[in-house]
Amino acid sequence: MEEGSAGRAWWRPPERGRRRAGTFVRTEPAAARRGHARHPDAVISQTLATYLERYPDEAEALSAPLRMLAGGSGFASRRSFPMHVTVGALLVRGGREILLIEHRAYGITLQPGGHLEPTDATLVDVAVRELAEETGLDPAGVTLADPVPAYVEYGRVPARPEKGEPDHFHLDLGYAFTTDRADVGQIQEAEVTGAAWAPLADTERLVGPRIARAVSRTARVG
């Protein structure tokens, strides 16, 4: 354990020896993209539509991805450029703290999450898998607070040449979960450098107003 700047106890493994967006095309063959058939674009579009029914004031901010979803396909694949879908997990423990990770590639603190895989049955399953993979916690102790995402955000992601990824955009769908007993285990060192439970005040400052929605959703569980 290592004590963070805000008093968080980050779990870390033992020590071991933006350019402007252009027009990009999908670099994955169509046959490979069909491996994401469990997450057809219609499901993604319907999830976003349901979210906007609850938060209609966000329609303008999400107008760009709405247009892309209406005119394209294959957005479940991480090889879809200039946009693809990711899923995040806001896990609230005891109504007092939220689990955050330190992202290795981007060097920032945020909630667990990541790209869709063909083995994920639902978008919620993506969030649970990423939560378990990145933080090592037992998903059996985690409860979904609401089937509607707590947040949807559209943002630019810097290029990662080592993965063959140009500048692009993520349409990030975030779900709220609650737990009373789950805790950090063996983190996914390839993706994160630390994981910790942070007080709500810290998480709102670090991650943004989506935290308040997550806490509100989990307060209604049970």
Side-chain angles (χ1 to χ4, degrees):
M1 293 283 194
E2 176 179 327
E3 195 71 15
S5 59
R8 295 186 298 277
W10 290 99
W11 191 99
R12 303 181 193 277
E15 289 296 329
R16 296 194 294 195
R18 214 116 87 157
R19 62 174 191 250
R20 289 179 53 171
T23 300
F24 304 110
V25 298
R26 296 179 182 88
T27 59
E28 186 177 41
R33 291 200 304 273
R34 285 197 291 271
H36 295 275
R38 292 189 178 193
H39 312 289
D41 297 295
V43 170
I44 296 168
S45 296
Q46 183 56 54
T47 301
L48 183 55
T50 302
Y51 175 83
L52 289 174
E53 287 177 3
R54 186 174 292 186
Y55 304 109
D57 57 324
E58 297 184 23
E60 182 176 353
L62 295 172
S63 59
L66 282 168
R67 287 194 299 271
M68 290 188 186
L69 286 167
S73 63
F75 297 104
S77 170
R78 71 178 299 159
R79 305 305 299 173
S80 176
F81 302 116
M83 181 189 82
H84 53 254
V85 171
T86 56
V87 183
L90 290 170
L91 178 60
V92 182
R93 186 170 69 174
R96 300 182 303 276
E97 51 191 358
I98 290 185
L99 186 57
L100 299 179
I101 56 98
E102 288 186 321
H103 196 281
R104 180 177 293 279
Y106 301 136
I108 58 176
T109 301
L110 71 170
Q111 71 279 359
H115 295 88
L116 287 65
E117 298 290 348
T119 53
D120 298 316
T122 68
L123 294 172
V124 171
D125 285 346
V126 182
V128 174
R129 175 182 55 76
E130 289 286 345
L131 183 62
E133 286 179 355
E134 292 187 343
T135 71
L137 62 70
D138 181 359
V142 171
T143 301
L144 178 67
D146 193 323
V148 178
Y151 72 86
V152 176
E153 294 182 349
Y154 176 66
R156 186 188 301 275
V157 179
R160 295 182 68 180
E162 73 279 8
K163 289 183 174 287
E165 296 178 355
D167 285 5
H168 59 281
F169 292 86
H170 280 174
L171 179 62
D172 191 41
L173 314 176
Y175 291 90
F177 299 86
T178 184
T179 185
D180 290 324
R181 57 184 174 82
D183 208 349
V184 177
Q186 177 66 45
I187 66 172
Q188 188 179 31
E189 298 178 39
E191 299 292 336
V192 305
T193 59
W197 295 96
L200 297 181
D202 288 345
T203 56
E204 184 130 13
R205 175 178 55 82
L206 291 166
V207 180
R210 70 189 78 149
I211 297 300
R213 278 190 192 164
V215 174
S216 174
R217 302 280 184 94
T218 59
R220 297 196 294 268
V221 175

